[in-house]
Amino acid sequence: MNNIPTVMIIFGGSGDLAHRKIYPALFNLYRSGLIHDNFAVIGTARRPWSHEYLRGQVADAVHETYGEVDETDLEAFASHFYYQSHDVTNVEHYVTLKKLAQELDERYSCQGNRIFYMAMAPSFFGTIAEHIADQKLTGSGFNRLVVEKPFGTSLETAEVLNKQINGSFDEEQVFRIDHYLGKEMVQNILPLRLSNPMIKSIWNKDCIKNIQVTLAERLGVEARGGYYDASGAMRDMVQNHIFQIITLLAMPEPASLADTDIHAAKEALLDSLEIPDEAEVAAGFVRGQYGGTETTFAYTSEPNVDPESKTETFVAGRVKFDQGPLAGVPIYFRTGKEMKEKRTRIDIVLKDMAGIYGETGENSITIEVDPASEIYLTINGKTIQGGGLRRERLAYKFSPEEQAQVPDGYERLIHDVFVNDSTNFTKWKELKRYWEFVDAVEDAWQKQNESGQKPLTYAPYKMGPAESKQVFANPTDRWIY
């Protein structure tokens, strides 16, 4: 599909997300021809910008991302951008916005198609959705809504927000975006599992001992202390990124690659998700806060963080499903701030095989998501001298030329919004199940807090507290990474 006619309205058009991600992504989609002559973008925010000023910001954003570009292309692209100063709580401003959208629809022959992108504070998502409905901003063609995370702060708040959004949009029109689902190696999970007979034949509870998912961040909370202290690692990372990865790892094979079949398989899996009780949280989850050094703040000394905060900056835990190819197989996860290095990886640990060689090293399949894009198998091979065994690594990785072709996650996902492919977005039934799990853990932690139990303190730039190994159901298991 090319030259898809659309008026896109970005709520939060002056913000950091629009500047760093959305505008550069749209420019690449323009260069590829997905959008070209028949599109317009309206950026809205409180700031009193002009059309010309927004276009300058768009050009700056593209230069910051791509360096040298064809200036004629960039000028033509930026000419499709318009700015509307907008207070999302003021109903009259939606009337003005509707008028501008209609004018641009006619000018660029956009056929009544609308994409609404919520790229601002989540507290305004419901208000915007309700005013889109009561002021009838939707067009006569297709209408799609892109919603950034976090989608609520609990199941209760997520249900309220979903009800507000459903007043303007049907579920199939809502695209809950999570940039992790746009990452190349996350998108490689299903092809790896389902297109290779060697791997497909062992992707089951009889062959896989456990799976380990690690999302490690090198930085602390920095300037986000106020937001983070009300969220924590469980809500900020597990409820979305980690559960998205786990679902792809454990879901049954879908009937086809159609987005409806992909989501049907995910929902079938999540129906069997085991929700932990208080005892299971106590036994299978570890939470911590990073400490300080002579040169760095401890979490509770960070700006805008409560000195008595019990918010976790690290969490390790486990997930199990009753159905699917990995029914009963423990899937362990951990994520945290100020860890050894920034890295996202998945380790699939295979069961030991007793044989004539006696005790052997575990085989594993590792998917490196960030910062490298690589898949490798760790196997046993013969030592060159003698008949012993040594560990061998067989790798599949991109060449520098291939890596340069990998699109940014936002570019890939915004492309999918334009072509109406919801495969790599989160549906409400999936999100609801994630929140049920997270709420159960958070409720158990709250009771621990009330009893005086605090998160563990861990040294910065390590792999979290040593106690994180307690999440393993088998005491002989260990973190592969």
Coordinates of all heavy atoms in Angstrom, one line a residue, residues 377-438:
L377 N 22.8 -20.4 19.9 CA 22.6 -21.6 20.6 C 23.9 -22.0 21.3 O 25.0 -21.9 20.7 CB 22.2 -22.8 19.6 CG 20.8 -22.9 19.1 CD1 20.4 -21.7 18.3 CD2 20.6 -24.2 18.3
T378 N 23.8 -22.4 22.6 CA 24.9 -22.8 23.3 C 24.8 -24.3 23.5 O 23.8 -24.8 24.0 CB 24.9 -22.2 24.7 OG1 25.0 -20.8 24.6 CG2 26.2 -22.6 25.5
I379 N 25.8 -25.1 22.9 CA 25.7 -26.5 22.8 C 27.0 -27.1 23.4 O 28.0 -26.4 23.7 CB 25.5 -27.0 21.4 CG1 26.6 -26.6 20.5 CG2 24.1 -26.5 20.9 CD1 26.5 -27.2 19.1
N380 N 27.1 -28.4 23.4 CA 28.3 -29.1 23.9 C 29.0 -29.7 22.6 O 28.4 -30.3 21.8 CB 28.0 -30.2 24.8 CG 27.3 -29.7 26.1 OD1 27.9 -28.9 26.8 ND2 26.1 -30.2 26.4
G381 N 30.3 -29.4 22.6 CA 31.2 -30.0 21.5 C 32.4 -30.6 22.1 O 32.7 -30.5 23.3
K382 N 33.1 -31.4 21.3 CA 34.3 -32.1 21.9 C 35.5 -31.1 22.0 O 35.7 -30.2 21.1 CB 34.7 -33.2 20.9 CG 35.8 -34.1 21.5 CD 36.2 -35.2 20.5 CE 37.2 -34.6 19.5 NZ 38.5 -34.2 20.1
T383 N 36.3 -31.3 23.0 CA 37.5 -30.5 23.1 C 38.5 -31.0 22.0 O 38.5 -32.2 21.6 CB 38.2 -30.7 24.5 OG1 38.4 -32.1 24.7 CG2 37.3 -30.1 25.6
I384 N 39.3 -30.1 21.6 CA 40.3 -30.5 20.5 C 41.2 -31.6 21.0 O 41.5 -32.5 20.3 CB 41.0 -29.2 20.0 CG1 40.0 -28.3 19.3 CG2 42.1 -29.6 19.0 CD1 40.6 -26.9 18.9
Q385 N 41.8 -31.4 22.1 CA 42.7 -32.4 22.7 C 41.9 -33.2 23.7 O 41.3 -32.7 24.7 CB 43.8 -31.7 23.5 CG 44.7 -30.8 22.6 CD 45.5 -31.6 21.5 OE1 45.8 -32.8 21.8 NE2 45.7 -31.0 20.4
G386 N 41.9 -34.5 23.5 CA 41.2 -35.4 24.4 C 39.7 -35.6 24.0 O 39.2 -35.1 23.0
G387 N 39.0 -36.3 24.9 CA 37.6 -36.6 24.6 C 36.6 -35.9 25.4 O 35.5 -36.3 25.5
G388 N 37.1 -34.8 26.1 CA 36.2 -34.1 26.9 C 35.2 -33.2 26.1 O 35.2 -33.2 24.9
L389 N 34.4 -32.5 26.8 CA 33.4 -31.6 26.2 C 33.7 -30.1 26.5 O 34.3 -29.8 27.5 CB 32.0 -31.9 26.7 CG 31.4 -33.3 26.5 CD1 30.1 -33.4 27.1 CD2 31.4 -33.6 25.0
R390 N 33.4 -29.3 25.5 CA 33.5 -27.9 25.7 C 32.2 -27.2 25.2 O 31.5 -27.8 24.5 CB 34.7 -27.3 25.0 CG 34.6 -27.4 23.4 CD 35.8 -26.8 22.7 NE 35.6 -26.8 21.3 CZ 36.5 -26.3 20.4 NH1 37.6 -25.7 20.9 NH2 36.3 -26.3 19.1
R391 N 32.0 -26.0 25.7 CA 30.8 -25.2 25.3 C 31.1 -24.5 24.0 O 32.1 -23.9 23.8 CB 30.5 -24.2 26.4 CG 30.4 -24.7 27.8 CD 29.1 -25.5 28.0 NE 28.0 -24.6 28.3 CZ 26.8 -24.9 28.2 NH1 26.4 -26.1 27.7 NH2 25.8 -24.1 28.5
E392 N 30.1 -24.6 23.1 CA 30.2 -24.0 21.8 C 29.0 -23.1 21.6 O 27.9 -23.3 22.0 CB 30.2 -25.1 20.7 CG 31.3 -26.1 20.7 CD 32.6 -25.5 20.2 OE1 32.6 -24.4 19.7 OE2 33.6 -26.3 20.1
R393 N 29.2 -22.0 20.8 CA 28.2 -21.1 20.5 C 28.0 -21.0 19.0 O 28.9 -20.7 18.2 CB 28.5 -19.7 21.1 CG 27.4 -18.7 20.7 CD 27.8 -17.3 21.2 NE 27.8 -17.2 22.7 CZ 27.8 -16.0 23.3 NH1 28.0 -14.9 22.6 NH2 27.8 -15.9 24.6
L394 N 26.7 -21.3 18.6 CA 26.4 -21.1 17.1 C 25.5 -19.9 17.0 O 24.4 -19.9 17.6 CB 25.6 -22.4 16.7 CG 26.3 -23.7 16.9 CD1 25.4 -24.9 16.4 CD2 27.7 -23.8 16.2
A395 N 25.9 -18.9 16.2 CA 25.2 -17.6 16.2 C 24.6 -17.3 14.9 O 25.1 -17.6 13.8 CB 26.2 -16.5 16.6
Y396 N 23.5 -16.6 15.0 CA 22.8 -16.0 13.8 C 22.7 -14.5 14.2 O 22.1 -14.1 15.2 CB 21.4 -16.6 13.7 CG 20.4 -15.7 12.9 CD1 20.6 -15.4 11.6 CD2 19.3 -15.2 13.6 CE1 19.7 -14.5 10.9 CE2 18.4 -14.4 12.9 CZ 18.6 -14.0 11.6 OH 17.7 -13.2 11.0
K397 N 23.4 -13.7 13.4 CA 23.4 -12.3 13.7 C 23.4 -11.5 12.4 O 23.7 -12.0 11.3 CB 24.6 -11.9 14.5 CG 25.9 -12.2 13.9 CD 27.1 -12.1 14.9 CE 27.1 -10.7 15.6 NZ 28.3 -10.6 16.5
F398 N 23.0 -10.2 12.5 CA 23.0 -9.4 11.3 C 24.4 -8.8 11.0 O 25.2 -8.5 11.9 CB 22.1 -8.2 11.5 CG 20.6 -8.5 11.7 CD1 19.8 -7.9 12.6 CD2 20.1 -9.6 10.9 CE1 18.5 -8.2 12.7 CE2 18.7 -9.9 11.0 CZ 17.9 -9.2 11.9
S399 N 24.6 -8.7 9.7 CA 25.8 -7.9 9.3 C 25.6 -6.4 9.5 O 24.4 -6.0 9.7 CB 26.1 -8.2 7.8 OG 25.0 -7.6 7.0
P400 N 26.6 -5.6 9.5 CA 26.4 -4.2 9.7 C 25.4 -3.6 8.6 O 24.6 -2.7 8.9 CB 27.8 -3.6 9.5 CG 28.7 -4.7 10.0 CD 28.0 -6.0 9.5
E401 N 25.5 -4.2 7.4 CA 24.6 -3.7 6.3 C 23.2 -4.1 6.6 O 22.3 -3.3 6.4 CB 25.0 -4.3 5.0 CG 26.4 -3.8 4.5 CD 27.6 -4.5 5.2 OE1 27.4 -5.5 5.8 OE2 28.7 -3.9 5.1
E402 N 23.0 -5.3 7.1 CA 21.6 -5.7 7.5 C 21.1 -4.9 8.7 O 19.9 -4.5 8.7 CB 21.6 -7.2 7.8 CG 21.8 -8.1 6.6 CD 21.9 -9.5 7.0 OE1 22.6 -9.8 8.0 OE2 21.4 -10.4 6.3
Q403 N 21.9 -4.7 9.7 CA 21.5 -3.9 10.8 C 21.1 -2.5 10.5 O 20.1 -2.0 11.0 CB 22.7 -3.8 11.8 CG 22.3 -3.2 13.2 CD 21.2 -4.0 13.9 OE1 21.4 -5.3 14.1 NE2 20.2 -3.4 14.4
A404 N 21.7 -1.9 9.4 CA 21.4 -0.6 9.0 C 20.0 -0.5 8.4 O 19.4 0.5 8.3 CB 22.4 -0.1 8.0
Q405 N 19.5 -1.7 7.9 CA 18.2 -1.7 7.3 C 17.0 -1.9 8.3 O 15.9 -1.8 7.9 CB 18.1 -2.9 6.3 CG 19.1 -2.7 5.1 CD 19.1 -4.0 4.2 OE1 18.1 -4.7 4.1 NE2 20.3 -4.2 3.6
V406 N 17.4 -2.3 9.5 CA 16.4 -2.5 10.5 C 15.7 -1.2 10.9 O 16.3 -0.3 11.4 CB 17.0 -3.2 11.8 CG1 15.9 -3.4 12.9 CG2 17.6 -4.5 11.4
P407 N 14.4 -1.1 10.7 CA 13.6 0.1 11.1 C 13.5 0.3 12.6 O 13.5 -0.7 13.3 CB 12.3 -0.1 10.4 CG 12.1 -1.6 10.3 CD 13.5 -2.2 10.1
D408 N 13.4 1.5 13.0 CA 13.1 1.8 14.4 C 11.7 1.2 14.7 O 10.8 1.1 13.9 CB 13.1 3.3 14.6 CG 12.6 3.7 16.0 OD1 13.4 3.6 16.9 OD2 11.5 4.1 16.1
G409 N 11.6 0.8 16.0 CA 10.3 0.2 16.4 C 9.1 1.0 16.2 O 8.1 0.6 15.8
Y410 N 9.3 2.3 16.4 CA 8.1 3.2 16.2 C 7.8 3.3 14.7 O 6.6 3.4 14.3 CB 8.4 4.6 16.7 CG 8.0 4.8 18.2 CD1 8.9 4.5 19.2 CD2 6.7 5.2 18.5 CE1 8.5 4.6 20.5 CE2 6.3 5.3 19.8 CZ 7.2 5.0 20.8 OH 6.7 5.1 22.1
E411 N 8.8 3.4 13.8 CA 8.5 3.4 12.4 C 7.7 2.2 12.0 O 6.7 2.3 11.3 CB 9.8 3.5 11.6 CG 9.6 3.5 10.1 CD 10.9 3.4 9.3 OE1 11.9 3.8 9.9 OE2 10.8 3.0 8.2
R412 N 8.1 1.0 12.5 CA 7.4 -0.2 12.1 C 6.0 -0.2 12.6 O 5.1 -0.6 11.9 CB 8.2 -1.4 12.7 CG 7.6 -2.7 12.5 CD 8.6 -3.8 13.0 NE 9.6 -4.2 11.9 CZ 10.8 -4.6 12.1 NH1 11.3 -4.6 13.4 NH2 11.6 -4.9 11.1
L413 N 5.8 0.2 13.8 CA 4.5 0.1 14.4 C 3.5 1.2 13.9 O 2.3 0.9 13.6 CB 4.6 0.3 15.9 CG 5.3 -0.9 16.6 CD1 5.4 -0.6 18.1 CD2 4.6 -2.2 16.4
I414 N 4.0 2.4 13.6 CA 3.2 3.4 13.0 C 2.8 3.0 11.6 O 1.7 3.2 11.1 CB 3.9 4.8 13.0 CG1 4.0 5.3 14.5 CG2 3.2 5.8 12.2 CD1 4.9 6.6 14.6
H415 N 3.7 2.4 10.9 CA 3.4 1.8 9.6 C 2.2 0.8 9.7 O 1.3 0.9 8.9 CB 4.6 1.0 9.0 CG 4.3 0.1 7.9 ND1 3.8 -1.2 8.0 CD2 4.5 0.3 6.5 CE1 3.6 -1.7 6.8 NE2 4.0 -0.9 5.9
D416 N 2.2 0.0 10.7 CA 1.1 -1.0 10.9 C -0.2 -0.3 11.2 O -1.3 -0.8 10.8 CB 1.5 -1.9 12.0 CG 2.6 -2.9 11.6 OD1 3.0 -2.9 10.4 OD2 3.1 -3.6 12.5
V417 N -0.2 0.9 11.9 CA -1.4 1.6 12.1 C -2.0 2.1 10.8 O -3.2 1.9 10.5 CB -1.1 2.8 13.0 CG1 -2.4 3.7 13.2 CG2 -0.7 2.4 14.4
F418 N -1.1 2.6 9.9 CA -1.6 3.1 8.6 C -2.2 2.0 7.8 O -3.2 2.2 7.1 CB -0.5 3.7 7.8 CG -0.2 5.2 8.2 CD1 0.8 5.5 9.0 CD2 -1.0 6.2 7.6 CE1 1.0 6.9 9.4 CE2 -0.8 7.5 7.9 CZ 0.2 7.9 8.8
V419 N -1.6 0.8 7.8 CA -2.2 -0.3 7.0 C -3.2 -1.2 7.8 O -3.6 -2.2 7.3 CB -1.0 -1.2 6.5 CG1 0.0 -0.4 5.7 CG2 -0.3 -1.9 7.6
N420 N -3.5 -0.8 9.0 CA -4.6 -1.4 9.8 C -4.2 -2.9 10.2 O -5.0 -3.8 10.1 CB -5.9 -1.4 9.1 CG -7.1 -1.7 10.0 OD1 -7.0 -1.3 11.2 ND2 -8.1 -2.3 9.5
D421 N -2.9 -3.1 10.6 CA -2.5 -4.4 11.0 C -2.2 -4.3 12.5 O -1.3 -3.6 13.0 CB -1.2 -4.8 10.3 CG -0.7 -6.1 10.7 OD1 -1.2 -6.7 11.6 OD2 0.3 -6.6 10.1
S422 N -3.1 -5.0 13.3 CA -3.0 -4.8 14.8 C -2.2 -6.0 15.4 O -2.2 -6.1 16.6 CB -4.4 -4.8 15.4 OG -5.0 -6.1 15.2
T423 N -1.4 -6.7 14.6 CA -0.7 -7.9 15.1 C 0.2 -7.5 16.3 O 0.2 -8.2 17.3 CB 0.2 -8.5 14.0 OG1 -0.6 -8.9 12.9 CG2 1.0 -9.7 14.6
N424 N 0.9 -6.4 16.2 CA 1.9 -6.1 17.2 C 1.4 -5.0 18.1 O 2.2 -4.1 18.6 CB 3.2 -5.7 16.5 CG 3.9 -6.9 15.8 OD1 4.1 -7.9 16.4 ND2 4.0 -6.7 14.5
F425 N 0.2 -5.0 18.5 CA -0.4 -4.1 19.4 C -1.2 -5.0 20.5 O -1.5 -6.1 20.3 CB -1.3 -3.1 18.8 CG -0.6 -2.2 17.8 CD1 -0.4 -2.6 16.5 CD2 -0.2 -1.0 18.2 CE1 0.3 -1.8 15.6 CE2 0.5 -0.1 17.3 CZ 0.8 -0.6 16.0
T426 N -1.5 -4.3 21.6 CA -2.1 -5.1 22.7 C -3.7 -4.9 22.7 O -4.2 -3.8 22.7 CB -1.6 -4.6 24.0 OG1 -0.2 -4.6 24.0 CG2 -2.1 -5.4 25.2
K427 N -4.4 -6.0 22.7 CA -5.8 -5.9 22.8 C -6.3 -5.9 24.2 O -5.5 -6.3 25.1 CB -6.4 -7.2 22.1 CG -6.2 -7.2 20.5 CD -6.9 -6.0 19.9 CE -6.8 -5.9 18.4 NZ -7.4 -4.7 17.8
W428 N -7.5 -5.4 24.4 CA -8.0 -5.2 25.8 C -8.0 -6.5 26.6 O -7.6 -6.5 27.8 CB -9.4 -4.6 25.8 CG -10.0 -4.6 27.1 CD1 -11.1 -5.3 27.5 CD2 -9.5 -3.9 28.3 NE1 -11.4 -5.1 28.8 CE2 -10.4 -4.2 29.3 CE3 -8.5 -3.1 28.5 CZ2 -10.3 -3.7 30.6 CZ3 -8.3 -2.6 29.8 CH2 -9.2 -2.9 30.8
K429 N -8.4 -7.6 26.1 CA -8.5 -8.8 26.8 C -7.1 -9.2 27.3 O -7.0 -9.8 28.4 CB -9.1 -9.9 26.0 CG -10.6 -9.8 25.8 CD -11.2 -11.0 25.0 CE -12.7 -10.8 24.8 NZ -13.3 -11.9 24.0
E430 N -6.1 -9.0 26.5 CA -4.7 -9.3 26.9 C -4.3 -8.4 28.0 O -3.7 -8.8 29.1 CB -3.8 -9.2 25.7 CG -4.1 -10.1 24.6 CD -3.6 -9.6 23.2 OE1 -2.6 -8.9 23.2 OE2 -4.1 -10.0 22.2
L431 N -4.5 -7.1 27.8 CA -4.1 -6.1 28.8 C -4.8 -6.3 30.1 O -4.1 -6.2 31.2 CB -4.4 -4.7 28.3 CG -4.1 -3.5 29.2 CD1 -2.6 -3.4 29.3 CD2 -4.7 -2.2 28.6
K432 N -6.0 -6.7 30.1 CA -6.8 -6.9 31.3 C -6.1 -8.0 32.1 O -6.0 -8.0 33.4 CB -8.2 -7.3 31.0 CG -9.1 -7.5 32.2 CD -10.5 -7.8 31.8 CE -11.4 -8.1 33.0 NZ -12.8 -8.4 32.6
R433 N -5.7 -9.1 31.4 CA -5.1 -10.2 32.1 C -3.8 -9.8 32.7 O -3.4 -10.3 33.8 CB -5.0 -11.4 31.1 CG -4.8 -12.7 31.8 CD -6.0 -13.2 32.5 NE -5.9 -14.6 33.0 CZ -6.4 -15.0 34.1 NH1 -7.1 -14.2 34.9 NH2 -6.2 -16.3 34.4
Y434 N -3.0 -9.0 32.0 CA -1.7 -8.6 32.6 C -1.9 -7.8 33.9 O -1.2 -8.0 34.8 CB -1.0 -7.7 31.6 CG -0.6 -8.3 30.2 CD1 -0.4 -7.5 29.1 CD2 -0.5 -9.6 30.1 CE1 -0.1 -8.0 27.9 CE2 -0.2 -10.2 28.8 CZ 0.0 -9.4 27.7 OH 0.4 -9.9 26.5
W435 N -3.0 -6.9 33.9 CA -3.2 -6.2 35.1 C -3.7 -7.0 36.2 O -3.4 -6.8 37.4 CB -4.3 -5.1 34.8 CG -3.7 -3.8 34.3 CD1 -4.0 -3.1 33.1 CD2 -2.7 -3.0 34.9 NE1 -3.2 -2.0 33.0 CE2 -2.4 -1.9 34.1 CE3 -1.9 -3.1 36.1 CZ2 -1.5 -0.9 34.4 CZ3 -1.0 -2.2 36.4 CH2 -0.8 -1.0 35.6
E436 N -4.4 -8.1 35.9 CA -4.9 -9.0 37.0 C -3.7 -9.6 37.7 O -3.6 -9.7 38.9 CB -5.8 -10.0 36.4 CG -7.2 -9.5 36.0 CD -8.0 -10.6 35.3 OE1 -7.5 -11.7 35.0 OE2 -9.2 -10.3 35.1
F437 N -2.7 -10.0 36.9 CA -1.5 -10.5 37.5 C -0.7 -9.5 38.3 O -0.3 -9.7 39.5 CB -0.6 -11.1 36.3 CG 0.7 -11.8 36.8 CD1 0.7 -13.2 36.9 CD2 1.8 -11.1 37.1 CE1 1.9 -13.8 37.3 CE2 3.0 -11.7 37.5 CZ 3.0 -13.1 37.6
V438 N -0.5 -8.3 37.7 CA 0.3 -7.3 38.4 C -0.4 -6.8 39.6 O 0.2 -6.6 40.7 CB 0.6 -6.1 37.4 CG1 1.1 -4.9 38.1 CG2 1.5 -6.6 36.3

